[in-house]
Each structure stands twice: as structure tokens, then as C-alpha cells.
Amino acid sequence: QVQLVESGGGLVQAGGSLRLSCAASGRTFSSYAVGWFRGAPGKDREFVSALDTSGDTTYYAGSVKGRFTISRDNAKNTVYLQMNSLKPEDTAVYYCAATQRGIGQMISSSYNYWGQGTQVTVSS
């Protein structure tokens, strides 16, 4: 059992940067792989990034590769998404998710736990 809370979203100009954080309440968070997805409320969520329990193996959607970096600090029960060179098409609600599968997953249905999302808006 784990609960996730995202933070760090906001309004930024194109070309700017944001760092999203996802804080987990579970005592065994280090055993979960984590991921980030994005989309509008009530819409299908697009895969953004994921990483394994160790934090050493990462996965990225082609649209963000080279611009976004996912990481985790298991001692702090927190996962991060550093977003650089932001584009207007990055505008969305961003969600963090966790799965007990142990390795990063690229399909939203693979995740058992979800945060409520944080809004990211990129102006042109």
C-alpha cells in the first residue's frame, strides 16, 4: 500500500524548466518501480517516463527523450521528473504512479497506485 502526492507544477515559458516531485507515504516504496504519465483529466494518459526500483534503469517516451530526466531518492521516498527545454505541447496534468512489478512499465494499466496529478502549463 502506497499513497503518492505530486508537486512542482506551474506555468513556465517555452524553453524553460520545471522539476516535479512525487512523495510516497508507503514504508516499502523502495520495492516499487515508478513512472510519470500526462494527460487531461478524464482522458487517456500518455506515457512519459519510468524507472526501476534501483533508480538506475530509465525509460522515456520519444517526445521527451533528451529533455526530461527521471530519478528517485528511496531514502526520501520521492521520485522526480526534471523537465528542460519545455514546449507548449508538454502542457498537461502530470501524474506519478507506482507498481510492484519492480521494473519500469510503459503502460498505464501496469500501475497499481496513482497520484492526483499536478498541472504543467507551457506558454509559447
Side-chain angles (χ1 to χ4, degrees), residues 74-93:
N74 286 335
K76 297 181 179 179
N77 280 5
T78 303
V79 59
Y80 304 96
L81 185 68
Q82 178 67 47
M83 305 185 295
N84 298 326
S85 301
L86 284 163
K87 305 174 180 179
E89 51 262 45
D90 295 319
T91 296
V93 177

Side-chain angles (χ1 to χ4, degrees), residues 22-39:
C22 177
S25 62
R27 294 173 62 87
T28 58
F29 180 67
S30 62
S31 66
Y32 292 79
V34 296
W36 288 94
F37 291 77
R38 67 187 182 187

